[in-house]
Amino acid sequence: MRTTSRYRATVRMIAAIGVVSLAAACSGNGGAAGGGDAANYPDENITIVVPFSAGGPTDTVTRMIAGPMAAKLGGKIVVQNVEGAGGTVGAGDVARAKPDGYTVLMHHIGMSTAPALYKSLGYKPLEDFETVGLVTEVPMTIVARKDFAPATLQDLVTHVKANANKVTLANAGIGAASHLCGLLFQSTTGVKLQEVPYQGTGPALTDLVGGQVDFMCDQTTNTSGQIAAGKVKAYAVTTPERVKSLPDLPTTTEAGLPQLTVSVWHGLYVPADTPQEIVQKLSEALKVALADQGVIDQMAKLGTAPVPAQDATPDAHRAKLDEQLGTWAKIIADSGVKVS
């Protein structure tokens, strides 16, 4: 027993010396905090956490870029879905993960709205994460049940102002992209509508097609098929330029409501203090993935496109996040919506 104790003590001492030596070496060479081995990264599987269900828009986009990114990095990427509380469960898990580059988060616009929506969030987007780069900005569309009276977006605005207590606005749940776009619509038009939240976009669109609700605002990834099939009435797309997959659908600016401009932007994150060399490797791999023709073609089918290379960078991503945090804080505060 004594020999074993001495042996264990010796091992602990050697380990401690090794840690001290490594820390000193990193300090002497300007190494970043976090302890990741940037030179050999990656030497094990990378996990990209998607804080939403499999098959949804964010999950789909993640799986598109995972293969080309892995090929560039020379490793393997595993996509893991961690659902719950509007994406905050998965995001919180990544915020608390070891900052070594092996746990990555793919999140959408919800990263910028969560602080204003949730009373007890458990993480701070700008402080607890390093931004890697933007991925894509998915346009939103304003759609209604097929037999809804208003013919144009301006007609819709006039109609909801005159019938605010009768018109129903569907969404996929608090914090969902459709909910956020609906809040912006109400803020822009100065009308408070009857909101009907659902457990996801699927049932919301089903009821819209069935005529149980009047209208909603959601991503092209969810609505393009219904629009093309003529199952819903489409008023506009909420981006500055028209969408190639919906060439006949005017923008909100063209339709007379330029303030209603919003897209569901996606970006990659790693825990704060991840070494900058690793962050840059991930960013470079992201740029390669976004330039991949297969990825470009797949995104086009969803009514979106990769961001320009200059936006797939940590600095551009952080600037976007910072700006969006301020924008949505006011919109959500004015709406009075708050989740405990």
Side-chain angles (χ1 to χ4, degrees):
M1 291 298 291
R2 288 176 183 171
T3 302
T4 302
S5 297
R6 287 197 200 97
Y7 174 76
R8 289 174 178 168
T10 301
V11 169
R12 285 197 296 269
M13 181 178 70
I14 292 171
I17 292 172
V19 170
V20 171
S21 299
L22 177 59
C26 289
S27 175
N29 291 309
D37 184 357
N40 297 318
Y41 176 85
D43 58 7
E44 60 184 81
N45 290 348
I46 297 169
T47 297
I48 299 183
V49 173
V50 175
F52 305 103
S53 61
T58 304
D59 178 73
T60 300
V61 169
T62 304
R63 294 177 190 277
M64 283 181 188
I65 66 171
M69 281 188 68
K72 170 62 177 176
L73 291 165
K76 182 179 179 181
I77 291 178
V78 177
V79 178
Q80 180 182 10
N81 298 92
V82 182
E83 306 171 47
T88 62
V89 173
D93 286 351
V94 175
R96 294 183 292 272
K98 186 177 179 181
D100 56 7
Y102 291 101
T103 305
V104 181
L105 173 70
M106 170 74 92
H107 209 336
H108 63 26
I109 190 174
M111 182 65 99
S112 63
T113 62
L117 277 173
Y118 293 87
K119 293 179 182 177
S120 302
L121 189 57
Y123 59 84
K124 296 179 179 179
L126 288 173
E127 296 177 21
D128 295 329
F129 294 93
E130 300 286 351
T131 50
V132 174
L134 295 169
V135 178
T136 184
E137 296 203 31
V138 181
M140 306 285 283
T141 51
I142 302 171
V143 294
R145 55 183 170 86
K146 195 173 180 180
D147 59 349
F148 199 38
T152 66
L153 183 60
Q154 280 298 319
D155 291 342
L156 175 64
V157 173
T158 300
H159 183 80
V160 299
K161 285 183 176 180
N163 301 276
N165 61 336
K166 299 177 183 178
V167 176
T168 51
L169 173 62
N171 64 57
I174 292 178
S178 53
H179 174 237
L180 300 171
C181 187
L183 290 181
L184 184 59
F185 178 87
Q186 293 175 84
S187 173
T188 300
T189 57
V191 180
K192 179 65 177 175
L193 300 172
Q194 295 186 66
E195 295 185 70
V196 183
Y198 287 81
Q199 293 294 320
T201 297
L205 273 173
T206 296
D207 273 9
L208 186 72
V209 172
Q212 279 75 49
V213 287
D214 293 324
F215 81 111
M216 70 182 295
C217 179
D218 206 4
Q219 302 174 65
T220 53
T221 48
N222 297 323
T223 62
S224 291
Q226 305 288 359
I227 294 171
K231 294 182 178 181
V232 295
K233 180 180 289 187
Y235 293 111
V237 61
T238 65
T239 45
E241 297 179 357
R242 293 196 180 197
V243 176
K244 291 181 179 180
S245 60
L246 299 167
D248 297 328
L249 193 61
T251 67
T252 48
T253 298
E254 292 173 329
L257 204 62
Q259 305 95 321
L260 184 55
T261 301
V262 61
S263 60
V264 183
W265 53 275
H266 293 74
L268 290 177
Y269 303 80
V270 289
D273 294 329
T274 298
Q276 287 305 302
E277 296 93 331
I278 290 177
V279 174
Q280 288 300 324
K281 282 189 175 184
L282 285 167
S283 182
E284 290 304 315
L286 173 60
K287 290 177 186 176
V288 168
L290 296 182
D292 183 272
Q293 192 59 49
V295 171
I296 294 171
D297 292 343
Q298 289 179 75
M299 286 192 180
K301 292 178 182 178
L302 297 177
T304 187
V307 300
Q310 63 266 26
D311 290 340
T313 63
D315 288 346
H317 185 181
R318 179 162 288 269
K320 176 76 169 183
L321 176 60
D322 191 22
E323 178 268 325
Q324 289 279 284
L325 282 164
T327 296
W328 286 104
K330 184 180 186 308
I331 293 171
I332 293 170
D334 290 346
S335 75
V337 177
K338 203 75 173 177
V339 183
S340 57

